[in-house]
Amino acid sequence: MLDDISYIENIHHCSGKMGLVVWHQYDVLLSTRPYGWDTMVKYVAYLAQADIKKVETLTTSDLAGGTDTELIDDYRQSKGDLKDLLSEERGTLGIGGYSDTLKGPVKVVWYNQTRVLRIFMQSDDETLIRRYAETVIRASFGTESIGTAKN
């Protein structure tokens, strides 16, 4: 059964305050091989369509400690077409907004040529994050697997 297989090797959790709001950061180490830029763009497009209907931030950066480049205005002008907007390979790619699944704000960041994805949210719920990450990797929002994912 598909739900018996986990794509997650490990999750590291930390939290911190931004003003009055506590944010939780979950670093998810996938048990799969490293992913590349094209896969990252597909995940972002999928999340924008399946879970984060109103995208509030779309960022890229270099892995070598560069600052984020905010692309939200370009994204909105392109009406969500990511093909030309994200044609230049970068070190990271992140999308954020309101998650219908998590019922709150979320930002998901992928790191090019790694097995890591980072999820920021306001809830302290590793079980929920594990299910969410599995659902993102499987591209299975709107299916029964969101509620039945193991681990």
Side-chain angles (χ1 to χ4, degrees):
M1 181 174 228
L2 183 62
D3 285 336
D4 290 336
I5 300 168
S6 177
Y7 289 96
I8 298 173
E9 185 174 313
N10 190 16
I11 296 178
H12 176 75
H13 170 240
C14 62
S15 62
K17 269 187 143 176
M18 237 184 188
L20 299 175
V21 179
V22 175
W23 281 92
H24 296 270
Q25 175 182 313
Y26 297 89
D27 292 340
V28 180
L29 178 63
L30 303 175
S31 59
T32 59
R33 66 179 185 260
Y35 53 79
W37 184 253
D38 291 339
T39 300
M40 294 163 57
V41 172
K42 287 177 187 173
Y43 282 136
V44 165
Y46 176 71
L47 268 180
Q49 180 270 324
D51 184 49
I52 304 174
K53 303 292 194 302
K54 187 174 181 201
V55 176
E56 296 294 331
T57 183
L58 181 70
T59 59
T60 62
S61 72
D62 294 325
L63 281 180
T67 58
D68 284 351
T69 300
E70 179 61 67
L71 301 172
I72 192 63
D73 292 334
D74 297 328
Y75 174 77
R76 289 177 179 149
Q77 287 177 356
S78 75
K79 296 184 176 25
D81 181 14
L82 298 174
K83 186 179 179 188
D84 291 331
L85 182 61
L86 299 175
S87 61
E88 181 184 334
E89 188 164 349
R90 301 291 307 274
T92 69
L93 177 58
I95 184 173
Y98 185 86
S99 166
D100 289 339
T101 303
L102 298 174
K103 306 288 187 243
V106 66
K107 183 167 184 180
V108 182
V109 180
W110 288 267
Y111 293 83
N112 200 355
Q113 303 302 321
T114 73
R115 298 184 300 140
V116 176
L117 79 115
R118 181 170 282 164
I119 302 172
F120 299 92
M121 62 182 266
Q122 292 177 338
S123 297
D124 181 5
D125 189 340
E126 188 170 320
T127 302
L128 180 60
I129 270 307
R130 184 173 292 275
R131 277 191 241 138
Y132 187 78
E134 289 278 358
T135 304
V136 169
I137 298 307
R138 294 175 188 204
S140 59
F141 283 103
T143 68
E144 292 181 24
S145 65
I146 183 81
T148 59
K150 302 282 193 269
N151 293 341

